[in-house]
Amino acid sequence: MTKPLDIIDEPQGESDRTPLILGIVAGILAVAVIIALVLLVTRPNGDAAAPPVPAPGQPEPEQPAPQESAPEETEAPPPTAQVAVNGLGLTITQADGTELTHAWADDSAPVIEALTELFGEAPTEDFQNGDAENWAYDIYAWEGFRLYDVFLGDGGRSRDEVPAPTYVAITGTTPADVGIVDEFGVVVGDSMDKVRGLDPTDEVELSDGRVRIVLGNGRGTFYNDGKRAFNAFVESDGSAQTVASVTYTFRARGQ
């Protein structure tokens, strides 16, 4: 009798471990898939994509220029109410910015009206008598400021003959909301030494001890050429040290 072949059995331990290993691997893969899905779902929507890296040799893409914010609009300061005086006349600027320019030979009615509006009150009126060498004048005075208007009466004389049909004097401080601007920057209360530094054309000592300094070169030529360009006559107070008034008018030398 032939002896049957012996059946060789596999070791029992290795066959039992194979399903276990496969199960662990499958579990790990399942966990990885779950983590990937969670990261994909919870990723913030606002993340900006990274800019593409240009290929070698290609220029980098231009970045958009930052937008400049528009400058803030600022309101222009309100105009300053003032009287600006120079050798040819004066310019009145009202608080609302309207202006009136008055030349010395102009009629006085418009400038008196404008000054009344500027200072907010009617002027005090006075009169300056004339003589053989000087014309008579009606005087219109406000605080710190005077306007002189020639008075011709019934003599038949014309304003065209008068070297100073109108002229002004700055005599002190004006109301706080009104400024008086002199072309030389002289203000009542300044020192006379400051005026001496402004290239004066003349300086005289008056009979009462006060000092008069004349500013404005090449002016006061009315009787030569008919031009009404006035000098500024700066007079001191009694101490002869401080400016008391600034008068724009025509004066013959020595007056």
Side-chain angles (χ1 to χ4, degrees), residues 37-162:
L37 289 174
V38 170
L39 292 176
L40 181 62
V41 172
T42 59
R43 180 180 180 182
N45 294 330
D47 289 351
V53 179
Q58 293 184 353
E60 295 185 1
E62 295 183 0
Q63 299 294 327
Q67 295 183 353
E68 297 183 359
S69 58
E72 295 183 1
E73 294 185 0
T74 56
E75 294 184 1
T80 302
Q82 66 177 20
V83 181
V85 188
N86 60 45
L88 300 178
L90 55 92
T91 298
I92 300 168
T93 303
Q94 305 290 353
D96 62 1
T98 57
E99 293 185 350
L100 171 73
T101 297
H102 171 81
W104 301 124
D106 291 345
D107 181 72
S108 63
V111 71
I112 293 171
E113 181 180 354
L115 288 169
T116 298
E117 179 182 351
L118 182 74
F119 292 117
E121 61 182 6
T124 300
E125 298 187 30
D126 202 349
F127 187 76
Q128 177 176 291
N129 288 311
D131 54 33
E133 297 181 356
N134 298 287
W135 300 87
Y137 283 89
D138 288 312
I139 304 173
Y140 300 88
W142 293 267
E143 181 182 355
F145 191 82
R146 291 179 172 229
L147 174 74
Y148 295 76
D149 182 37
V150 68
F151 177 80
L152 298 174
D154 299 326
R157 305 296 295 271
S158 168
R159 287 173 70 90
D160 293 339
E161 302 176 54
V162 183

